[in-house]
Every structure is written in structure tokens, then in C-alpha cells.
Amino acid sequence: MALELPTVLIIPSGIGCSLGGYAGDAIPAARLLAAASGCLITHPNVMNGASLYWSDPRVHYVEGYGLDHFLTGEFLLRPVRTQQVGLLLDAGLDKELRERHLQVAAACKASLGLNIGPVVTTEVPLEIQLHKASSGSSWGELATADSLLKAGKELQDAGATAIAVVTRFPDVVEQGLLDAYLRGEGIDIFAGAEAIISHLLTRFLSLPCAHAPALSLLPLQEVIDPRSAAEELGHTFLPCVLVGLSRAPDLVKLKKEDLPSSFKAREFLSVAEVGALVAPEGALGSEAVLACLERNIPLIVVSNKNVLNVSSQALELKGGQFNDKNQVLYASNYVEAAGLILALRDGINIDSLYRPMPNILQIS
């Protein structure tokens, strides 16, 4: 069997991706790419499916800020057997919502054997606000970020090595947005705010973090897209977050004076080992993608409709090459992307798989 090819899969949240823009509907693609690569590094938006989840030792669950800074070389990833997942609750949760989420935590401890606790509640409600950008993507803000960070630090000081955050989200959103999402026709209006919350905590604490929104129970939807159906299965979105964080790798800050020889082989994953990055066409402007292009890491651009327009054409990624160094490959779907990863993993020349096949370069 060929050596692992550590591969990063990015499907940004809140931009309405046809695959990965809903409730865990990218999990099958992640499973496929994990099988092809032997080692997949991805983020909560890809793996979170509300009450549904998929635990795979080949998949490393890394919050988006941590993933960006892993790819810029500022973090190493250290696989662990288990994390102690602290639970951070928004003071804005009413009694019923609070009890629902505490019951989920107790169930995951009893039924799945996860290490969960302690629980800390913010001093004041976080007051999340949801917005839709002119691009069509979702974003958000919170009125009391300092209260969020203070509660996170309290959990860290109490021994938590990862943090699951539950915040109260508005029940009333712009008319039609939620219905369109449930029909598979719109963006996830909650996702942009969720990303901001987890980014803040990860940046401040350098701990694995992920977020679950708390909402009042929605009325039964008789017509719903299968990609959104996981969100209708229970009272909370917390189970997948607790499972994902339970084995999320540690984020280890890499200082400039540190040398690779100071780390034990295979104890850490570094950006130097990454063999490919998979990202949707149109969503190529992220720090993660640009960092990989700068490092000449092969980029696999997948056709996956979304509301953004930062395309390979906009970045002038022409002729399959970036600055004549970095290979840029194109896939019409994630099945084809898996084939490209297998070829890279086994050292097969990609050009040899297509017709017409380019001639071997001759230097005159």
C-alpha cells in the first residue's frame, strides 16, 4: 500500500455549496477522500451533521482558524487518543434549551464514552446577530465577545483541552431564508456566525473548538431536502460537535526557533507533509488556499456550486500550473477528486491519465 498522502478538504460554511452547504451532506465525500488519501484534514462544517456524525481515525477534525494557520505553518497538529471536551453555554439559553444540551452531553458520556466537562456558562447573554452579505454568503456578530472568551479561558484553566460552544441563535430570521435552506435552495444563514464564534475561541485559546447553535424547536417541515434533513432529527445540533472534538488533534504553536528535529517523527502533522488541498471552484480566496499555492502544494479544484466568485480564472490559475511550479488540477466532482488523490498518492503522472497526453518537455 502506498504511503499516506495527507490531504486537506475545505468546503467553506455559509456560502451555499451544493455539496457541503447543508447538514453534514459532505460527510460521504470526506469518507471517500479519507479512504483515497489515508489521512484527511478537514473542518467542522464538513463533518457536522447535527445528530448524525461519522467517526474515522483517518479524519482529523480541525476548526477553520486552526486549519488556516496549520497551512501557513504556524500550527502543528498532534493526534490524540481523546480530548477533555469542556462545554460552554450561552447565558441566553432558556431553561429548557439549557437542559436539552446538558442531556446531550450526559448521553454522549454514557452512551459513547466521551470525556465531557466541565460546564461553564457565560456571565451575560452573547446576543448573536445574523446577517447576509452582498455576495450572498452568511455572517454574524455577537455583542459580548469578551464574555465568550472569558468563559473559554475558565474552561481551559479547569482542564478542558477542547471546547464545544452552544449559543442562543435568533428564532426569527429574514423571511424565507430558513425555508429556502430546508428546501435545498439557499444558504445556511447560521453558518457564518458559527464560524466567527469558533474562530474567536481558537485564536484566543489555541484549543480545538466547534459550535452548535441553540434554537427553539421548529415546526414539522413536510417537504425538506435530504441534505437538510439531519437538522430535523433532534432538539440540538450538539452530538456531532462533541464526537468531532473528542478526537480532534491538538493545535501546537510552532515557534520560529523550533526545528523539525525537535519533534518526534509521526507525533505531529505539519504543513510540509500535506500532499494536496481540495477546495470548491469559486471559493479559492481563503487564507488556506493561498497558503497552499505559495507552498506549491497541489490544488484540486472541484466543481461545487456556491455564491462566491473567487475562481481559478480570477486568480489566473491557467494551464494547470501556478507560477510554473504548483500543479492545479480540476475535478467535476469529489469522486473524480478521489481518483486524482489516488494518483498523487501512488506517484502516477496525472498527464498520463488524460488524452491527448502532453509531450515530455524538452529544454533546448
Side-chain angles (χ1 to χ4, degrees), residues 103-148:
Q103 288 170 7
V104 168
C108 286
K109 178 180 179 180
S111 298
L112 302 179
L114 305 188
N115 294 314
I116 299 174
V119 178
V120 167
T121 302
T122 61
E123 291 179 346
V124 296
L126 296 176
E127 299 179 23
I128 309 299
Q129 297 180 38
L130 307 176
H131 303 284
K132 185 177 179 182
S134 58
S135 65
S137 62
S138 66
W139 66 284
E141 54 187 325
L142 61 160
T144 55
D146 54 341
S147 183
L148 173 76

Side-chain angles (χ1 to χ4, degrees), residues 23-341:
D25 65 302
I27 294 175
R31 292 179 59 194
L32 178 63
L33 297 187
S37 66
C39 175
L40 187 72
I41 304 159
T42 192
H43 54 108
N45 183 61
V46 171
M47 300 305 297
N48 285 354
S51 295
L52 303 179
Y53 46 83
W54 191 268
S55 188
D56 187 327
R58 298 170 298 187
V59 177
H60 299 283
Y61 184 93
V62 182
E63 193 278 332
Y65 177 89
L67 185 55
D68 285 347
H69 290 264
F70 164 70
L71 292 170
T72 59
E74 297 167 65
F75 282 143
L76 298 171
L77 303 180
R78 178 169 53 203
V80 299
R81 288 188 175 86
T82 185
Q83 296 283 11
Q84 184 69 40
V85 184
L87 185 58
L88 195 163
L89 299 180
D90 183 354
L93 298 178
D94 60 39
K95 182 180 179 183
E96 181 175 346
L97 279 175
R98 178 182 173 86
E99 289 304 315
R100 293 285 188 192
H101 287 85
L102 289 174
Q103 288 170 7
V104 168
C108 286
K109 178 180 179 180
S111 298
L112 302 179
L114 305 188
N115 294 314
I116 299 174
V119 178
V120 167
T121 302
T122 61
E123 291 179 346
V124 296
L126 296 176
E127 299 179 23
I128 309 299
Q129 297 180 38
L130 307 176
H131 303 284
K132 185 177 179 182
S134 58
S135 65
S137 62
S138 66
W139 66 284
E141 54 187 325
L142 61 160
T144 55
D146 54 341
S147 183
L148 173 76
L149 299 180
K150 183 177 180 180
K153 186 65 168 66
E154 189 175 346
L155 282 171
Q156 185 179 43
D157 291 344
T161 58
I163 296 178
V165 192
V166 180
T167 62
R168 184 68 167 99
F169 268 40
D171 291 321
V172 179
V173 298
E174 184 179 326
Q175 184 66 35
L177 279 179
L178 184 57
D179 288 342
Y181 168 75
L182 293 174
R183 293 194 307 268
E185 299 169 358
I187 61 165
D188 182 349
I189 192 60
F190 305 126
E194 290 191 83
I196 289 170
I197 292 164
S198 62
H199 288 6
L200 277 172
L201 279 167
T202 304
R203 180 176 181 178
F204 181 66
L205 300 172
S206 297
L207 292 182
C209 298
H211 178 268
L215 300 164
S216 297
L217 189 62
L218 297 172
L220 176 66
Q221 299 282 330
E222 294 186 1
V223 179
I224 190 168
D225 190 285
R227 294 173 295 175
S228 301
E231 296 192 352
E232 300 295 299
L233 299 181
H235 295 284
T236 82
F237 306 110
L238 185 57
C240 62
V241 169
L242 295 176
V243 172
L245 287 173
S246 69
R247 289 188 178 176
D250 286 337
L251 302 173
V252 180
K253 283 191 174 180
L254 182 61
K255 299 177 182 178
K256 291 183 179 179
E257 60 268 23
D258 289 333
L259 298 174
S261 59
S262 66
F263 301 113
K264 295 179 181 178
R266 305 310 300 167
E267 184 179 350
F268 295 86
L269 272 171
S270 76
V271 66
E273 297 175 77
V274 173
L277 170 72
V278 182
E281 180 67 285
L284 302 180
S286 69
E287 190 172 7
V289 172
L290 298 178
C292 284
L293 290 173
E294 289 179 0
R295 291 175 175 272
N296 303 322
I297 294 171
L299 171 63
I300 299 175
V301 179
V302 181
S303 178
N304 186 359
K305 185 179 177 182
N306 59 80
V307 300
L308 299 184
N309 194 31
V310 186
S311 64
S312 54
Q313 183 177 3
L315 294 177
E316 298 183 351
L317 305 180
K318 299 177 180 177
Q321 297 292 317
F322 179 77
N323 291 337
D324 298 323
K325 293 180 181 179
N326 194 353
Q327 196 168 25
V328 179
L329 307 168
Y330 296 90
S332 58
N333 52 55
Y334 290 93
V335 176
E336 187 175 345
L340 292 172
I341 289 169

